[in-house]
C-alpha cells in the first residue's frame, strides 16, 4: 500500500514506519500536526492526542527522510473524550481528519502508519478518521511487550534522545538528551521499582529521533536549552527546546541493521503446520444406517428459536437464515438484508435491539460470498459491533448463511442507574497483535463488572474442536473463547460417561466460582457400529438425558440457565432434519421452559470417533 506516516518526531512513529516498510508497504508522505501559532504555546500543547514537544525540528526530520511533509495546525481541543469517538467539529481529532483528507487527495494513499503502543484513546480516534476516509491504519507496535519493543528499537539502530521527562526517578539535569541505548538499563530499573512504562506510554518521557535506517541523512543537535515546566521536587517536568540543528550525510555501514521481514508474515506450508503421518490421517467411519433416517434435508425456514432470558440479562437467538435462489431474481445483498430484518424483528419482539448483541456466529455456505455478506453486515451495527465467529460450513442449497447470536441487556436499574455499558475492544488497525482479525466485529466484549482475581494458576475450561470446510482469509485455525472473570481454582468440575451398544456418551461441565455461569459439553461417539441398523432415537434420548443430569448437578447456589445447545455433527453420518426433530423434542420434554436455543452445525470432521459434539453455555 501507499502509506502516509503520522509522525511526532519520536521513536514510536519512526519504528512503525520501519515495520510498514518491512511488511512491503511504501511510505510516500509524512503528516504532522503542530500547535496553532496564536495559542501562545509554541513548544508544547496540552493535548490528549498529539506529541508536540520538538515539533520545531519536524521539517528537518522530513528532509532527513527525503519525503514530502504535510503539516496542519491543532485548532481544536479535547472535547469528545469518551471511549468511543463520534465526530465533533470542535475536537482536535477533526484537525487530523482534514489533514488526512488533503494527503489522500494529493498522494493517493491507502494506509496510515500509526505509532500507538498502548493508548486506546489515540487508536480509536485515528481509526475513526481512517474509517471515514476509507484508509487502513497500520499500527504494528500495538500491544507489543514494551521491554522487547525497546530492545528492538535500539538494535534496529534507531538513534533517539530523551527530550521530555515527567516521572518520578527521571531528572532533567541527568536524563534530557540521553540516547535510548544509554537510558535502557535505568528505564528497566524504574519499571521494576515503580511501574514506569519503559517505552514512556504513561507519559513518563518523550523522544526525538536523530537517525534510523530509513533516514538518508542524520540530524545533529548543535545547541538546545532546558525548559522547566514544573519544578516538582519528586517528579519535575521539563523538556529540551532545540536552538540549532543541521543535517549530515551518513557514512554507509554494512553493519546497519534493517528489519528484513514482518514478524506476522511467517513463511510456512501446510506440512509445517500439520505434519502428516498415518496416525494423523482422519479415521473413516463405517457407513451407518439409522432406523429413523429420513432423506429430506433440513428446512431452515423452520429453525428460528430463542432461549429464555437469564437472570443476568442474557438471551440467545438462533436460526436466522438468508435464503438465496438466483433463479427467483433475488441477489445476495437482498437476501442478507432480509435476514437481518428478520433478526431485528425477532429481537424487537423480545424488547431488544441489534446494539444489544454481543456475539454473532455466522455460518456461510461459501467463503466466495464473504465480501458481499460483509458489505451488508457492516451497515447493521454501530461503532461497537459484536464479536463474531465466521466459518464456511455444509449448508443446504438455497441457503446463503445462518446466524445465531447472544444478546445482553439489564432489565433492572441498580442504584437508580441502568447498567448497560459494555467494554468493547474493536481494533481496526493492522498490527502484530491482530494481523488477521480485522473487520466489522469486535475482538472482545466484556459485560458486567466483577471482582478481578489475580491467580496465575488457571484450570482450563471445556474445549470443542471441529473441522469445517473453509475459514476466512484462508486461516488455518479460528479460536473462539467465552470467559468469565473469577477464581479459576474455585471452579467446580463434573464428568460422567455412559456406554451402550454401538455408542458412548461423555459429558463434562465446569461451573464458575461465583456460580453465575457454567459450560457443559456432551460428546456422542460411535464405538463399533453393528451391521444392522441403529436406532437414532435411543442415542438422542440418552444424550439429552445426560445433559439434563449435568444441569441438575450444578450447585444449589447456581441459578444459571442453559442458553444455547450447539450441536456440531458429522454431515455424512446424520440427516439434519431427523437430528433437529429428535433433539428439539427431548430438550422440550426434559427442560420445559428452560429449553435452550438449538443450533445445528454440520461439520466435515470431529476428533476420534465422535459424531456429535454438543456445547452449551449457561448463565
Amino acid at each position: 500500500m501507499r502509506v502516509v506516516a503520522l509522525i511526532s518526531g519520536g521513536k514510536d512513529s519512526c519504528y512503525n514506519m520501519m515495520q510498514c516498510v518491512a511488511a512491503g508497504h511504501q511510505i510516500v508522505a509524512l503528516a504532522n500536526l503542530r500547535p496553532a501559532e496564536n495559542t501562545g504555546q509554541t513548544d508544547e500543547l496540552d493535548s490528549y492526542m498529539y506529541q508536540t514537544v520538538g515539533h520545531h525540528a519536524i521539517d528537518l526530520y522530513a528532509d532527513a527522510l527525503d519525503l514530502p511533509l504535510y503539516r496542519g495546525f491543532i485548532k481544536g481541543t479535547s472535547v469528545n473524550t469518551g471511549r468511543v469517538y463520534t465526530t465533533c467539529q470542535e475536537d482536535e481529532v477533526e484537525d487530523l481528519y482534514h489533514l488526512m483528507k488533503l494527503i489522500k487527495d494529493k498522494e493517493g494513499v491507502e494506509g496510515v502508519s500509526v505509532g500507538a503502543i498502548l493508548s486506546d484513546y489515540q487508536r480509536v480516534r485515528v481509526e475513526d478518521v481512517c474509517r471515514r476516509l476509507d484508509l487502513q491504519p497500520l499500527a504494528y507496535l500495538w500491544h507489543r511487550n514494551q521491554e522487547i519493543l525497546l530492545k528492538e528499537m535500539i538494535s534496529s539502530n534507531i538513534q533517539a534522545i530523551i527530550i521530555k521527562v515527567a516521572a518520578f526517578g527521571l531528572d532533567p539535569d541527568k536524563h534530557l538528551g540521553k540516547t535510548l541505548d544509554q537510558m535502557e538499563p535505568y528505564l528497566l530499573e524504574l519499571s521494576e521499582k515503580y511501574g514506569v512504562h519503559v517505552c514512556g506510554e504513561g507519559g513518563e518521557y518523550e523522544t526525538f529521533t536523530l537517525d534510523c535506517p530509513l533516514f538518508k541523512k542524520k540530524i545533529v543537535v548543535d545547541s538546545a536549552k532546558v525548559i522547566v515546566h514544573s519544578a516538582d521536587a519528586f517528579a519535575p517536568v521539563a523538556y529540551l527546546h532545540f536552538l540549532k540543528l543541521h543535517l549530515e550525510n551518513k557514512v554507509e555501514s554494512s553493519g546497519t541493521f534493517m528489519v528484513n521481514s514482518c514478524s506476522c508474515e511467517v513463511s510456512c506450508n501446510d506440512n509445517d503446520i500439520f505434519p502428516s503421518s498415518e496416525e494423523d490421517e482422519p479415521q473413516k467411519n463405517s457407513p451407518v444406517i439409522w432406523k429413523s433416517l429420513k432423506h429430506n434435508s433440513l428446512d431452515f425456514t423452520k429453525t428460528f428459536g430463542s432461549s429464555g432470558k437469564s437472570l443476568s440479562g442474557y438471551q440467545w437467538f438462533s436460526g436466522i437464515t438468508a435464503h438465496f435462489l438466483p433463479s427467483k431474481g433475488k441477489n445476495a445483498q437482498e437476501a442478507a438484508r432480509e435476514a437481518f430484518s428478520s433478526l431485528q424483528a425477532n429481537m424487537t419482539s423480545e424488547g431488544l435491539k441489534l446494539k444489544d448483541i454481543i456475539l454473532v456466529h455466522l455460518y456461510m455456505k461459501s467463503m466466495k460470498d464473504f465480501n458481499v455478506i460483509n458489505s451488508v453486515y457492516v451497515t447493521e451495527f454501530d461503532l461497537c459491533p459484536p464479536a463474531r465467529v465466521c466459518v464456511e460450513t455444509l449448508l443446504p442449497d438455497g441457503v446463503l448463511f445462518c446466524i445465531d447470536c447472544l444478546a445482553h441487556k439489564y432489565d433492572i436499574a441498580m442504584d437508580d442507574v441502568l447498567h448497560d455499558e459494555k467494554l468493547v475492544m474493536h481494533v481496526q488497525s493492522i498490527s502484530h497483535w491482530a494481523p488477521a482479525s480485522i473487520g466489522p466485529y469486535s475482538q472482545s466484549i466484556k459485560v458486567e463488572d466483577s471482582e478481578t482475581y489475580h491467580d496465575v494458576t488457571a484450570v482450563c475450561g471445556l474445549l470443542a474442536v471441529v473441522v469445517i470446510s473453509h475459514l476466512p482469509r484462508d486461516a488455518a485455525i479460528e479460536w473462539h473463547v467465552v470467559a468469565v472473570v473469577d477464581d479459576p481454582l474455585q471452579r467446580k468440575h463434573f464428568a460422567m460417561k455412559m456406554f451402550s451398544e454401538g455408542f458412548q456418551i461423555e459429558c463434562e461441565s465446569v461451573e464458575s466460582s461465583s456460580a453465575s455461569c457454567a459450560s457443559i459439553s456432551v460428546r456422542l461417539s460411535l464405538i463399533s457400529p453393528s451391521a444392522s441398523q441403529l436406532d437414532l432415537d435411543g442415542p438422542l434420548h440418552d444424550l439429552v438425558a445426560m445433559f439434563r443430569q449435568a444441569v441438575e448437578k450444578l450447585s444449589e447456589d447456581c441459578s444459571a440457565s442453559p442458553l444455547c445447545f450447539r450441536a456440531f455433527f458429522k454431515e455424512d453420518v446424520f440427516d439434519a432434519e431427523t437430528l433437529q426433530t429428535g433433539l428439539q423434542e427431548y430438550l422440550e420434554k426434559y427442560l420445559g421452559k428452560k429449553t435452550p436455543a438449538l443450533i445445528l452445525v454440520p461439520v466435515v470432521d470431529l476428533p476420534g470417533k465422535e459424531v456429535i459434539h454438543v456445547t452449551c453455555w449457561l448463565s
Side-chain angles (χ1 to χ4, degrees):
M1 284 191 292
R2 289 173 60 84
V3 172
V4 55
L6 293 179
I7 60 166
S8 62
K11 64 184 187 333
D12 302 338
S13 55
C14 180
Y15 191 55
N16 199 72
M17 280 195 291
M18 292 176 64
Q19 294 286 301
C20 288
V21 172
H25 304 299
Q26 180 188 8
I27 308 293
V28 298
L30 306 173
N32 172 262
L33 283 155
R34 57 183 168 181
E37 294 174 347
N38 61 357
T39 62
Q41 296 173 295
T42 57
D43 271 330
E44 187 180 26
L45 191 65
D46 186 17
S47 167
Y48 286 7
M49 274 291 292
Y50 311 112
Q51 172 187 324
T52 55
V53 63
H55 74 87
H56 295 293
I58 289 294
D59 288 324
L60 213 58
Y61 186 99
D63 292 340
L65 281 161
D66 193 24
L67 287 170
L69 171 66
Y70 292 83
R71 303 195 74 178
F73 289 112
I74 304 169
K75 300 174 184 177
T77 56
S78 303
V79 178
N80 186 343
T81 57
R83 280 203 294 260
V84 177
Y85 179 80
T86 52
T87 305
C88 177
Q89 291 306 318
E90 296 78 27
D91 199 288
E92 60 187 351
V93 174
E94 299 310 305
D95 300 318
L96 177 62
Y97 173 83
H98 295 303
L99 183 60
M100 288 293 102
K101 186 176 187 306
L102 170 68
I103 298 171
K104 181 181 180 181
D105 293 342
K106 288 204 170 188
E107 299 287 346
V109 296
E110 307 155 271
V112 179
S113 172
V114 187
I117 298 175
L118 198 60
S119 172
D120 274 312
Y121 186 91
Q122 292 173 332
R123 176 188 58 78
V124 163
R125 281 148 182 78
V126 172
E127 288 180 351
D128 177 80
V129 168
C130 289
R131 177 186 59 81
R132 286 187 273 160
L133 292 172
D134 194 25
L135 295 170
Q136 176 60 61
L138 303 168
Y140 290 108
L141 313 189
W142 176 248
H143 270 215
R144 292 284 312 279
N145 178 284
Q146 291 188 42
E147 289 187 20
I148 295 173
L149 192 55
L150 185 62
K151 289 182 184 296
E152 278 185 19
M153 291 179 184
I154 294 168
S155 65
S156 298
N157 282 347
I158 288 182
Q159 301 295 321
I161 60 171
I162 306 292
I163 60 167
K164 181 184 175 182
V165 293
F168 183 74
L170 292 177
D171 186 333
D173 295 329
K174 293 180 181 179
H175 302 128
L176 286 176
K178 291 288 183 70
T179 65
L180 288 179
D181 193 21
Q182 293 170 325
M183 288 294 295
E184 182 193 16
Y186 186 61
L187 289 171
L188 293 173
E189 182 184 332
L190 290 180
S191 176
E192 181 71 23
K193 286 184 177 179
Y194 309 119
V196 167
H197 294 84
V198 295
C199 282
E201 285 302 291
E204 295 91 342
Y205 71 91
E206 289 177 4
T207 61
F208 190 84
T209 304
L210 302 178
D211 192 14
C212 86
L214 298 180
F215 280 19
K216 306 292 177 56
K217 296 182 179 182
K218 65 180 180 180
I219 301 171
V220 178
V221 179
D222 297 310
S223 61
K225 66 177 180 179
V226 175
I227 306 294
V228 178
H229 187 273
S230 169
D232 186 89
F234 297 100
V237 178
Y239 60 88
L240 280 182
H241 175 75
F242 296 129
L243 298 174
K244 186 179 180 182
L245 308 99
H246 72 274
L247 293 177
E248 281 187 6
N249 292 324
K250 296 171 64 173
V251 178
E252 293 297 329
S253 170
S254 59
T256 299
F257 177 84
M258 183 65 182
V259 181
N260 292 316
S261 62
C262 171
S263 61
C264 295
E265 303 296 331
V266 180
S267 176
C268 62
N269 55 48
D270 289 345
N271 291 331
D272 295 328
I273 305 173
F274 305 111
S276 177
S277 71
E278 291 185 7
E279 293 181 0
D280 294 327
E281 291 296 321
Q283 297 186 14
K284 297 187 183 297
N285 288 300
S286 304
V288 179
I289 301 175
W290 301 98
K291 286 182 180 178
S292 52
L293 181 67
K294 297 178 183 178
H295 294 284
N296 301 322
S297 62
L298 180 62
D299 184 354
F300 275 84
T301 62
K302 298 178 181 178
T303 59
F304 174 79
S306 66
S307 69
K309 185 177 289 187
S310 73
L311 294 176
S312 50
Y314 293 96
Q315 188 168 8
W316 216 294
F317 296 84
S318 64
I320 304 298
T321 307
H323 300 274
F324 178 46
L325 293 171
S327 60
K328 294 189 176 182
K330 183 192 297 183
N331 62 37
Q333 285 95 337
E334 290 171 337
R337 290 191 189 97
E338 286 181 8
F340 277 103
S341 295
S342 173
L343 173 60
Q344 191 162 20
N346 283 292
M347 293 192 68
T348 300
S349 68
E350 297 285 343
L352 297 166
K353 299 178 181 178
L354 289 182
K355 70 180 183 68
D356 297 317
I357 298 175
I358 59 174
L359 172 64
V360 168
H361 285 241
L362 173 59
Y363 297 110
M364 297 175 54
K365 172 75 171 177
S366 172
M367 275 296 159
K368 294 178 181 177
D369 300 314
F370 183 75
N371 290 334
V372 172
I373 294 172
N374 249 359
S375 68
V376 176
Y377 187 99
V378 72
T379 65
E380 300 294 332
F381 297 101
D382 59 16
L383 296 175
C384 297
R388 187 178 81 179
V389 178
C390 175
V391 299
E392 175 183 301
T393 193
L394 307 164
L395 298 178
D397 292 338
V399 173
L400 185 66
F401 65 79
C402 281
I403 279 179
D404 65 84
C405 59
L406 174 63
H408 178 266
K409 185 178 182 181
Y410 288 105
D411 280 339
I412 58 173
M414 291 178 285
D415 301 325
D416 297 324
V417 178
L418 191 63
H419 288 255
D420 195 34
E421 192 170 8
K422 304 172 179 67
L423 295 176
V424 177
M425 176 172 279
H426 182 217
V427 179
Q428 293 302 284
S429 301
I430 292 175
S431 66
H432 297 305
W433 177 82
S437 302
I438 302 297
Y441 48 85
S442 297
Q443 285 82 8
S444 70
I445 293 182
K446 181 184 176 185
V447 295
E448 297 182 326
D449 288 329
S450 57
E451 184 179 355
T452 302
Y453 292 84
H454 298 284
D455 298 84
V456 293
T457 305
V459 179
C460 290
L462 306 177
L463 179 67
V465 178
V466 302
V467 180
I468 48 81
S469 47
H470 204 177
L471 288 170
R473 298 185 176 95
D474 292 322
I477 296 172
E478 177 148 342
W479 180 265
H480 162 60
V481 176
V482 176
V484 60
V485 180
D486 71 344
D487 183 352
L489 298 179
Q490 298 301 316
R491 293 174 187 167
K492 298 178 179 66
H493 293 258
F494 168 75
M496 56 183 163
K497 184 183 293 186
M498 172 183 176
F499 291 93
S500 184
E501 183 179 352
F503 63 88
Q504 170 183 292
I505 304 175
E506 298 171 278
C507 179
E508 292 179 80
S509 70
V510 58
E511 179 185 328
S512 69
S513 63
S514 61
S516 62
C517 61
S519 178
I520 295 176
S521 170
V522 188
R523 301 183 296 278
L524 174 70
S525 301
L526 284 172
I527 302 174
S528 55
S530 61
S532 60
Q533 294 180 337
L534 292 174
D535 186 357
L536 180 59
D537 189 62
L540 293 187
H541 171 275
D542 292 343
L543 185 150
V544 176
M546 186 174 281
F547 173 78
R548 184 187 66 172
Q549 275 186 271
V551 173
E552 293 172 346
K553 288 282 185 182
L554 297 175
S555 66
E556 293 181 0
D557 297 330
C558 186
S559 57
S561 301
L563 296 181
C564 72
F565 189 95
R566 189 181 310 276
F568 299 101
F569 68 96
K570 291 193 67 170
E571 189 264 351
D572 60 343
V573 175
F574 293 103
D575 170 72
E577 185 182 11
T578 306
L579 199 58
Q580 165 96 14
T581 304
L583 287 173
Q584 191 68 45
E585 177 184 338
Y586 287 123
L587 285 170
E588 291 176 358
K589 176 181 177 181
Y590 283 124
L591 294 169
K593 292 182 179 179
K594 288 191 173 183
T595 298
L598 175 60
I599 302 151
L600 294 184
V601 186
V603 297
V604 174
D605 202 5
L606 289 166
K609 295 183 179 181
E610 290 179 25
V611 290
I612 298 178
H613 189 129
V614 173
T615 63
C616 180
W617 189 60
L618 301 88
S619 166

